[in-house]
Amino acid sequence: MKAVVLAAGKGTRMRELTQEIPKPMLKVQGKPILEHILLGLKDAGIKDIFIVTGFRADVIEGYFGDGSRWGLHVEYGRQVVQDGTGKAPELAKSFVGADDFLLTYGDILVRPETYRDMIKRFREGAFSGVVTVTGSEDVTKGGLNFFDEAFCLRRLVEKPSAEQVEELKRTGWLKPGQTAWYNAGIYLFRPVVYEFTAKLQKSPRGEYELTDALNALVAASHTIAGMQIAGRWVDVRDPEVLASLETGQL
């Protein structure tokens, strides 16, 4: 099992905090967000890690180097054009090779046990991947996932508009009182996913969306398991969230 971490973005919502350093390098309780992620991956037995860098790539690459200081093997690829999450993982294609890999954004903090739970879920069946979710009442801020009785993915709608939400309710996809499953931004994949990222077209937002590749996998009869994240899940999206982590337990 390998890991690919997407850490190319600047993090404009962090305002002046990311003028000189990329968001994944902002510190939480004395360590960069990215270091917390790498230590969690190591705790799950994943020691071969590829980091996709972009804005101020030198800061990330200079800090982690080859990863040996943490008992890890770290490689890098630079995403020159920030054109979405769908194409970024392709920078790691040769690194991944024929191995399965965990994919995470570089600004999502979870308990280290989450990564182990994902590997366990992945090995429960003949799955081509695992998508993690959190329960939510607000269905307009990220990817909205729909599952079957075995909690395997049926459909994913990326950042639905108010009109799309109404359509989902009208067609029975969204039911009153039912938990809305919000995409948590951490995945496990077999390398087959690259067959689908290679075919991606830009979305109406002008980006290559990883969620489009997930829908294509499902449409091609690949089974993607779902897993609800237990306990803490934090999208470190703005200065207020970052500040709150200083007093919370990691």
Side-chain angles (χ1 to χ4, degrees), residues 10 18 32 52 71 86 95 118 121 124 132 151 159 184 187 192 200-201 220 236 240 243:
K10 179 179 180 180
T18 51
V52 177
F95 168 84
M118 289 178 67
R121 172 68 167 141
E124 287 175 352
T132 59
F151 213 63
K159 294 183 180 171
Y187 311 88
V192 68
L200 285 174
Q201 302 294 317
V236 191
E240 291 73 30

Side-chain angles (χ1 to χ4, degrees), residues 14-174:
M14 285 293 181
R15 303 187 282 277
E16 69 279 356
L17 293 176
T18 51
Q19 287 298 315
E20 299 298 328
I21 63 172
K23 182 165 73 165
M25 292 303 291
L26 293 174
K27 289 189 176 180
V28 172
Q29 297 184 16
K31 290 189 183 76
I33 296 166
L34 194 50
E35 187 172 351
H36 287 288
I37 293 171
L38 264 57
L39 289 172
L41 293 169
K42 180 183 177 182
D43 183 70
I46 301 174
K47 297 183 179 180
D48 290 313
I49 299 169
F50 188 97
I51 304 175
V52 177
T53 58
F55 172 71
R56 290 306 309 269
D58 57 305
V59 175
I60 293 174
E61 294 165 11
Y63 185 87
F64 291 103
D66 64 3
S68 57
R69 181 176 148 201
W70 293 267
L72 300 168
H73 167 73
V74 178
E75 295 184 24
Y76 305 90
R78 294 190 180 185
Q79 187 181 23
V80 179
V81 180
Q82 308 291 298
D83 56 2
T85 57
K87 289 296 184 182
E90 294 199 328
L91 291 166
K93 187 175 179 181
S94 60
F95 168 84
V96 167
D99 296 315
D100 305 324
F101 67 102
L102 187 148
L103 177 71
T104 181
Y105 295 113
D107 56 0
I108 303 251
L109 287 172
V110 293
R111 297 183 310 159
E113 305 93 273
T114 298
Y115 305 120
R116 290 200 300 267
D117 291 343
M118 289 178 67
I119 295 169
K120 181 182 176 185
R121 172 68 167 141
F122 185 59
R123 291 174 176 162
E124 287 175 352
F127 301 130
S128 294
V130 172
V131 56
T132 59
V133 293
T134 59
S136 174
E137 298 304 316
D138 186 346
V139 298
T140 61
K141 295 193 185 234
L144 188 58
N145 297 260
F146 299 95
F147 297 97
D148 63 16
E149 298 78 11
F151 213 63
C152 291
L153 191 66
R154 292 180 63 198
R155 182 184 180 190
L156 200 159
V157 180
E158 180 65 20
K159 294 183 180 171
S161 64
E163 293 78 15
Q164 284 176 302
V165 169
E166 287 307 311
E167 177 65 18
L168 290 166
K169 288 177 179 176
R170 192 163 50 249
T171 53
W173 285 92
L174 277 175

